[in-house]
Structure formats: C-alpha cells, structure tokens
Amino acid sequence: MKHLILGTAGHVDHGKTSLIRALTGFDCDTHKEEQSRGITIHLGFTNISIDQDHQVGVIDVPGHKDFVNTMISGASGIDFVMLVIAADSGIMPQTIEHMKIMQLLNIKSGFIALTKIDLVDEDLLELAIAEIQEFTEGTFLENSNIIKVSTKSGQGLEDIKAEIVNQIDNTDERDLGLIFRMYIDRIFTSEGHGTIINGSVLSGKIHKQDELTLLPLRKDLRIRGMQKFHKEVDELKAGDRASLNVVGLKKSDFKRGMLITNYPREMSLLLDCVLDNFSASKLKLWTTVIFLSGTFKSKAKVHLIDCDELKENSRAIVQITLDTGSFFYYNDKYILRDTSNNYTIGGGRIIDAFPLKHRKRPKGLIEDLQKLAESDMKYLLLHEIEKSIDIENSRDLSLKLNIPEERVRDLANSLADEVAIIQQNDLEIYIILSHLNKIHNEIIRIVRHNQINNCLSEKGLDVSDIAKYLLSTKEKLDKNSIKIILDNMVDSKKLKITQNTYCPINHNPQDFTDLLNKRQDIIQYINSFKKEIPEEVTKENIKIKYNLKNQEFNSIMNSLIEMKRVLFYDNLYVSLQELEEILSKMKEEFKDQAFRIADFRDMLGTNRKIALYYLEIFDKLGITQRKDDYRNITKKNLI
C-alpha cells in the first residue's frame, strides 16, 4: 500500500468539506466556530479507505481568503489534489489563488470535482466545464478528469472514489529521504493518554522505539504510540498522515511552526531560493514579505540576486533572510505573502538551506546559483563541497542533503574529475581536487623548507607544526582535516612518516656526509669547555670556525639540540654532557641538603661567576629550586 495524502483545494463554500463528509461519513469541521459559521477555518483530517490496497489520508483545507496561511500549511503535505469547484459559482478568487499555490508547492497530479450540479441546468454545466478546461490549461491539472458530483443526491460519489483509486495507482510516493521530519499542525490532550500530535510526514521514517526531538526547543520526545488511518502502527514514513502520542511535550509548550525530527540540525536564517512571482506587483531589489513553509511562518526580506526587478509571472534567484530561523533542506517549498497577509506574492523552492551571505552579486555567484537551480543532486553535492572551508565526509553530507550515505558515495564517484575522494575507515572524505592539489603543494613547500634548515634531522614536522604554518595562509582547515590530508600524502608517496613526523619522501640525513663530519667536530669542541662559561661558542664564532653558511649552521645545531647533545642558553651553546656531569656531582655532594652559591662554587672548584652561570641554567630547567640564598635539588631530570 502506498503512503499518499489527498488534499482538497478551492474557494470557500464550494463544498469541499461536504464532499469529504459524503465520501467518508466524517465531518472535518469539528470545531464549534466552524460549525456555527459553516466554513472551514482549521485544517480537517480524515482518511478514505476504498479497499485494502487503496487507502489515503485526507487534508481538508479552508477556502476562505482569511485562512490562506492555513491552506498553505495543509497543502505542503499533500501528494495529489482534489480541486473543488461549484457548478453554480465557477472559478472564484481562492480557486485561482489555490491553484497558483499548488503549482508553487510542486503538486503534480490531481483531479477536479465539479460540485453542486443539482443547482444548475445542462447548459450552465457545460459552460462550467468549458471554463474549468480553459482555467487549467498550462497547469498540472490540464486534461485532468472533471467529475460531476452532487452530495445531496449522491451522484458522482462512486466516480470520485474510482478517480481516487486511479490517482493512487498513478502517483509516485515521495522520496523517502534519510531524515524524519513532520510539522505539527494539530495538538491536543487525551484523557489517559496525554499529548497527541498530528502532522503529515515530509520525509524519512520512524519506528515506535525511536526517540524524536522537538524543534526549535530541542526537547527530547518519547513515542508512546503511533497511528495511521486510526490504527496503531509500528512504523511511519514519508507520505503518511500521522498521529503520535508523545511524552515530553505539553500542549502549553506548543507554538505554530514546530516540527519533530530524528536529526536535530542547526537553524537556517538565510536561504538561497528560486522564486516565481505571480502577483501583479513588481518586486524590487529588496522586499519585505511573510515567508511560509509547512506550518512555519516568519517575516523575511527578499534580496534579488540575478536581476534588479522581478515582474509578474517571472522567475529569479533570491536570498531570503528570515527574522526567525527554522529547519530546512534542499528542495523544500515555500510561499511568500505581502506583509499585511492580504495576498500571495509567489513562492518556489530552496536550493541552499545554509548559504553564505551574498553582500555583492558577482557574475560567478549568479552563474553558480542559476546552475544550482537548474541542476540535479550531483551538482548540489559539488556545491556543498565547494562552499565548505573544511573537508567534508560522506556521513555529514548525507545528513545535510537528506539522502542515504550510499547515494552520496555514488554521486561523489561520478564527480571524480572535480572531487578528490580519500578513504578513512568507514567514511569517504571529499575535497575539491584543485583545492587539494593546492594544499598538497603548500604542505610540500612547508616540509621542504623545514628540511633545508634541518637536513641532519631524522624528524620532520608534526601535525601541529604543519597546521600552524597552514593556518597562517588562507587555508582554514582544522587539525583533524590536516591529519587526514597528510596521511593521504603518505599513502600516495608524496611524504613519509619518521618518528610521528612528516618529511619529504626522499629525505635522508646520511646523504650529508660533510655536514655530519663537521657536526662531530663541533660537539667535541663544545664538550671541551669544562666547568667554564662557553663564551666562544656563539653562532657567529662557530660559523667562522667551521666555514658554515646559515642553513648549514642551522641544520647542524638544530640536530644537536634534537639529539639532546647541546643546550642553547643566553645566546651560547652549552654541552649537555658537561651539565649531566655537574648535576651528577651536585646530587652526590648535596643529596637532600640545601646549598648556597658558595657551596656550589667550592664543589666545582671555580669562581662565583661560573658557578652562578650554571646554577641559573639549572634554575631555568627546574633542576634546582631557589629560596632566598639557598637552593634545593628537585627530582626533575636534565634529559
């Protein structure tokens, strides 16, 4: 059995609710105000069950001009429509408005019920049919069946049921989608059960044991029971008219525009959209409007992107800024009304639910958005990867786009010329190929530059070092993303890993024989300074003594520091071997006793200046701890 929803549409008092009552025996006008006024004000809900394979949920929308907002919220969830037109009245203002709204909401199938045929003669009936045919020309209802019906006599009711069967058989179920979403369009309490919520499932599916989140409050809800067609079920999916008994929501907490989902995401305040204007008024570069989608409503500003003025029956790319955020996805439909809520301006679909702010309208942006509006999911995936300042993965993209992860992988594979794919455990990582190549080149430049000054070092740069250098450029990748890219470069033989650092693939310190020999001479020279200040062991003196260029000097001394053979202190290079020998003697001499500079001087057999020099080094390294004129030896090791 398909999961579909039939919706009514049409002008007030054309017989929508009476026809549903005749078909189902259920009166959708359940509110006292509706019954007293004789018009539908709220959405009405029921179901039509013709046989085991042909059941459909029904949404009865109000036709009065004052309740168009309610009509829009109901129409947002329907799969096919029954446009109701009274034979004695013909095409009326809300008939026209409802038709335009349904087209903007991308409803693609339906039929026409020509009601109150008992009130007109055959000539007027033929005129009404001709008017309808002319009215529906060029719309999704062109050439649709027009069924003549009277709720008083019952004529045509069986034909309506047969047409509903035909519509069910020929209407495709909506794409299931990955994420469950349902706007709440009705909430009430039931004695012994608690809070009951109703709505039309827009996408995804849930089971009774699943947990849901109420947005925008981000409250967790537990499902106590679920119904479809007034029967308990264990699963609900896209296209169902659903009733849920939930724990965690009070009726007093409810505000119109709330929805439930199994994936709470961030709210959208900016939307890139396609907009069709069917109002008589022109839209200027900036226009303030009322934005409607599902049961959500917000004041908003519309910014035209690819034109300076949008005339009647014209289309544009726009960026909409909402006063109040909500939760949207690609291809969600919306309607715009004027700020007084008197008439419908137009509407369309969302092409990016999390766009960047478009302060300017460059040609490249316009072309990109126009292509996005005209293209399929493949280009949408490419657009999502391109606009990200970081790398994307298959799982996150599936949630962003509301499609299965397998679908994301298939789309990415079809973009192999533009998107690089990096396998990481059970995820695929995506980045624009040209961007990745740029990052690769920058990383190789960074590690090579490091190796020029460290050619005698076995080690390269770790992730943190490379991240620091990259973040000083225009790249804004996070540390985890950089690690993924580095490991991919190792896999592709562009880098190698040594001691948990990244080096150029061809780096080998043993290739630099001359520098290795000079390094050996230099360490022997530094070690020769016994119990004295190595005042001659400066950068300039070593460079002159061993005829070294800057890069050669840096490579030798950096490697000696890395090997823990020397210590750079007060612009001099000190032998760590000498420091170890002094420390060993100091521990033996003083053990757990506090000592003064004079004691240390006498131990070394030298003068106060040299004793103070070495003690200051030990103080800085935390080997000794000073208190007034005395020092204690700590448990910290030198190396």
Side-chain angles (χ1 to χ4, degrees), residues 250-287:
K250 297 177 182 177
K251 187 178 178 182
S252 57
D253 293 333
F254 175 73
K255 290 184 180 179
R256 192 167 179 80
M258 286 181 169
L259 60 82
I260 54 174
T261 181
N262 57 357
Y263 173 62
R265 70 184 303 188
E266 295 303 310
M267 287 198 303
S268 304
L269 281 165
L270 276 179
L271 303 168
D272 281 348
C273 305
V274 175
L275 170 62
D276 289 307
N277 174 28
F278 64 61
S279 68
S281 59
K282 299 175 183 176
L283 296 187
K284 302 298 183 182
L285 192 60
W286 287 93
T287 306

Coordinates of all heavy atoms in Angstrom, one line a residue, residues 250-287:
K250 N 4.1 19.3 26.4 CA 2.8 19.8 26.9 C 2.1 20.6 25.8 O 2.8 21.3 25.0 CB 3.0 20.6 28.2 CG 3.5 19.8 29.3 CD 3.7 20.7 30.5 CE 4.4 19.9 31.7 NZ 4.6 20.8 32.9
K251 N 0.8 20.6 25.8 CA 0.1 21.4 24.9 C 0.4 22.9 25.0 O 0.5 23.7 24.1 CB -1.4 21.2 25.1 CG -2.3 21.9 24.0 CD -3.8 21.6 24.2 CE -4.6 22.4 23.2 NZ -6.1 22.1 23.4
S252 N 0.7 23.3 26.3 CA 1.0 24.7 26.5 C 2.4 25.1 26.0 O 2.7 26.3 25.8 CB 1.0 25.0 28.1 OG 1.9 24.1 28.7
D253 N 3.3 24.1 25.7 CA 4.6 24.4 25.2 C 4.6 24.6 23.7 O 5.5 25.2 23.1 CB 5.5 23.2 25.4 CG 5.9 23.0 26.9 OD1 5.8 24.0 27.6 OD2 6.2 21.8 27.3
F254 N 3.5 24.3 23.0 CA 3.4 24.2 21.6 C 3.2 25.6 21.0 O 2.5 26.4 21.5 CB 2.2 23.3 21.1 CG 2.1 23.4 19.6 CD1 3.0 22.7 18.8 CD2 1.0 24.0 19.0 CE1 2.8 22.7 17.4 CE2 0.8 24.1 17.7 CZ 1.7 23.4 16.9
K255 N 4.0 25.9 19.9 CA 3.8 27.1 19.1 C 3.8 26.6 17.6 O 4.5 25.7 17.2 CB 5.0 28.1 19.3 CG 5.0 28.7 20.7 CD 6.1 29.7 20.8 CE 6.0 30.4 22.2 NZ 7.1 31.4 22.4
R256 N 3.0 27.3 16.9 CA 2.9 27.0 15.4 C 4.3 27.1 14.8 O 5.0 28.0 15.0 CB 1.9 28.0 14.8 CG 1.5 27.5 13.4 CD 0.3 28.3 12.9 NE -0.1 28.0 11.5 CZ -0.8 26.9 11.2 NH1 -1.2 26.1 12.2 NH2 -1.1 26.6 10.0
G257 N 4.6 26.2 13.9 CA 5.9 26.2 13.2 C 6.8 25.1 13.8 O 7.9 24.9 13.2
M258 N 6.5 24.5 14.9 CA 7.3 23.5 15.5 C 7.3 22.2 14.6 O 6.2 21.9 14.0 CB 6.8 23.1 16.9 CG 7.2 24.2 18.0 SD 6.6 23.7 19.6 CE 7.5 24.9 20.6
L259 N 8.4 21.5 14.6 CA 8.4 20.2 14.0 C 9.1 19.2 14.8 O 9.9 19.5 15.7 CB 9.0 20.3 12.5 CG 10.4 20.8 12.3 CD1 11.4 19.7 12.5 CD2 10.6 21.3 10.9
I260 N 9.0 17.9 14.5 CA 9.7 16.8 15.1 C 10.6 16.1 14.1 O 10.3 16.0 12.9 CB 8.7 15.8 15.8 CG1 7.7 15.3 14.8 CG2 8.0 16.5 17.0 CD1 6.8 14.2 15.4
T261 N 11.7 15.7 14.6 CA 12.7 15.0 13.7 C 13.5 14.1 14.5 O 13.6 14.1 15.8 CB 13.6 16.1 13.1 OG1 14.6 15.5 12.2 CG2 14.4 16.9 14.2
N262 N 14.2 13.2 13.8 CA 15.2 12.3 14.5 C 16.6 12.8 14.3 O 17.6 12.1 14.6 CB 15.0 10.9 13.9 CG 15.2 10.8 12.4 OD1 15.4 11.8 11.7 ND2 15.2 9.6 11.9
Y263 N 16.8 14.0 13.7 CA 18.1 14.5 13.4 C 18.0 16.0 13.7 O 17.7 16.8 12.7 CB 18.6 14.2 12.1 CG 19.9 14.9 11.7 CD1 21.1 14.7 12.5 CD2 20.0 15.9 10.7 CE1 22.3 15.4 12.2 CE2 21.2 16.5 10.4 CZ 22.3 16.3 11.2 OH 23.5 17.0 10.9
P264 N 18.3 16.5 14.9 CA 18.2 18.0 15.1 C 19.4 18.7 14.5 O 20.6 18.4 14.9 CB 18.2 18.1 16.7 CG 18.9 16.8 17.1 CD 18.5 15.7 16.1
R265 N 19.2 19.5 13.6 CA 20.3 20.3 13.0 C 20.2 21.7 13.4 O 19.3 22.2 14.1 CB 20.2 20.1 11.4 CG 19.1 20.8 10.8 CD 19.0 20.6 9.3 NE 20.2 21.0 8.6 CZ 20.3 21.0 7.3 NH1 19.2 20.7 6.5 NH2 21.4 21.4 6.7
E266 N 21.2 22.5 12.9 CA 21.1 24.0 13.1 C 20.0 24.6 12.4 O 19.6 24.2 11.3 CB 22.5 24.6 12.8 CG 23.7 24.1 13.6 CD 23.5 24.3 15.1 OE1 23.1 25.4 15.5 OE2 23.7 23.3 15.8
M267 N 19.6 25.8 12.9 CA 18.5 26.5 12.3 C 19.1 27.3 11.1 O 20.2 27.7 11.1 CB 17.8 27.5 13.3 CG 16.9 26.8 14.3 SD 15.7 28.0 15.0 CE 16.8 29.2 15.7
S268 N 18.2 27.5 10.1 CA 18.6 28.4 9.0 C 18.0 29.8 9.1 O 16.8 29.9 9.4 CB 18.1 27.8 7.7 OG 18.6 26.5 7.5
L269 N 18.8 30.8 8.9 CA 18.2 32.2 8.9 C 18.4 32.8 7.5 O 17.8 33.7 7.2 CB 19.0 33.0 9.9 CG 18.5 32.9 11.3 CD1 19.5 33.5 12.3 CD2 17.1 33.5 11.6
L270 N 19.3 32.1 6.7 CA 19.5 32.5 5.3 C 19.1 31.4 4.4 O 19.5 30.2 4.7 CB 21.0 32.9 5.1 CG 21.5 34.3 5.4 CD1 23.0 34.4 5.1 CD2 20.7 35.4 4.7
L271 N 18.5 31.7 3.3 CA 18.1 30.7 2.3 C 18.3 31.2 0.9 O 17.9 32.3 0.6 CB 16.6 30.3 2.4 CG 16.1 29.9 3.8 CD1 14.6 29.8 3.8 CD2 16.7 28.5 4.1
D272 N 19.0 30.4 0.1 CA 19.0 30.7 -1.4 C 17.9 30.0 -2.0 O 17.7 28.8 -1.8 CB 20.4 30.3 -2.0 CG 21.5 31.2 -1.7 OD1 21.2 32.4 -1.2 OD2 22.7 30.9 -1.9
C273 N 17.1 30.7 -2.9 CA 15.9 30.1 -3.4 C 15.6 30.5 -4.8 O 16.2 31.5 -5.3 CB 14.7 30.6 -2.6 SG 14.8 30.3 -0.8
V274 N 14.8 29.7 -5.5 CA 14.2 30.1 -6.7 C 12.8 30.7 -6.4 O 12.1 30.1 -5.6 CB 14.0 28.8 -7.6 CG1 13.2 29.2 -8.9 CG2 15.3 28.2 -8.0
L275 N 12.5 31.8 -6.9 CA 11.2 32.5 -6.6 C 10.5 32.8 -7.9 O 11.0 33.4 -8.9 CB 11.5 33.8 -5.9 CG 10.3 34.7 -5.7 CD1 9.2 34.1 -4.9 CD2 10.7 36.1 -5.1
D276 N 9.2 32.3 -8.0 CA 8.3 32.7 -9.0 C 7.3 33.7 -8.5 O 6.6 33.5 -7.5 CB 7.5 31.4 -9.5 CG 8.4 30.5 -10.3 OD1 9.0 30.9 -11.2 OD2 8.4 29.3 -9.9
N277 N 7.2 34.9 -9.2 CA 6.3 35.9 -8.8 C 5.1 35.9 -9.6 O 5.1 36.0 -10.9 CB 7.0 37.3 -8.9 CG 6.1 38.4 -8.7 OD1 5.1 38.3 -7.9 ND2 6.3 39.6 -9.3
F278 N 3.9 35.6 -9.0 CA 2.7 35.7 -9.8 C 1.8 36.8 -9.4 O 0.6 36.9 -9.8 CB 1.9 34.3 -9.8 CG 1.4 33.9 -8.5 CD1 0.5 34.6 -7.8 CD2 1.8 32.6 -7.9 CE1 -0.1 34.1 -6.6 CE2 1.3 32.2 -6.7 CZ 0.3 32.9 -6.1
S279 N 2.3 37.7 -8.5 CA 1.5 38.9 -8.1 C 1.6 39.9 -9.2 O 2.5 40.0 -10.0 CB 1.9 39.4 -6.8 OG 3.2 39.9 -6.9
A280 N 0.6 40.9 -9.2 CA 0.6 42.0 -10.2 C 1.7 43.0 -9.9 O 2.1 43.7 -10.7 CB -0.7 42.6 -10.2
S281 N 2.2 43.0 -8.6 CA 3.2 44.0 -8.2 C 4.6 43.5 -8.5 O 4.9 42.3 -8.5 CB 3.1 44.3 -6.7 OG 3.3 43.1 -6.0
K282 N 5.5 44.4 -8.9 CA 6.9 44.1 -9.2 C 7.6 44.0 -7.8 O 7.4 44.8 -6.9 CB 7.5 45.2 -10.0 CG 6.9 45.3 -11.4 CD 7.5 46.5 -12.2 CE 6.8 46.7 -13.5 NZ 7.4 47.9 -14.2
L283 N 8.6 43.1 -7.8 CA 9.4 43.0 -6.6 C 10.7 43.8 -6.9 O 11.3 43.6 -7.9 CB 9.8 41.6 -6.3 CG 8.6 40.6 -5.9 CD1 9.2 39.3 -5.4 CD2 7.8 41.3 -4.8
K284 N 11.1 44.7 -6.0 CA 12.3 45.5 -6.1 C 13.5 44.6 -5.6 O 13.4 43.5 -5.2 CB 12.2 46.8 -5.3 CG 11.0 47.6 -5.8 CD 11.1 48.0 -7.2 CE 10.0 49.0 -7.7 NZ 10.1 49.3 -9.1
L285 N 14.7 45.3 -5.6 CA 15.9 44.6 -5.2 C 15.8 44.0 -3.8 O 16.3 42.9 -3.5 CB 17.1 45.6 -5.3 CG 18.5 45.0 -5.1 CD1 18.8 44.0 -6.2 CD2 19.5 46.1 -5.1
W286 N 15.2 44.8 -2.9 CA 14.9 44.3 -1.5 C 13.4 44.4 -1.3 O 12.8 45.5 -1.5 CB 15.6 45.1 -0.5 CG 17.1 44.8 -0.4 CD1 18.1 45.5 -1.1 CD2 17.7 43.8 0.4 NE1 19.3 44.9 -0.8 CE2 19.1 43.9 0.1 CE3 17.3 42.8 1.2 CZ2 20.1 43.1 0.7 CZ3 18.2 42.0 1.8 CH2 19.6 42.1 1.6
T287 N 12.7 43.4 -0.8 CA 11.3 43.4 -0.5 C 11.0 42.7 0.8 O 11.6 41.6 1.1 CB 10.5 42.7 -1.6 OG1 10.8 43.3 -2.8 CG2 9.0 42.9 -1.3

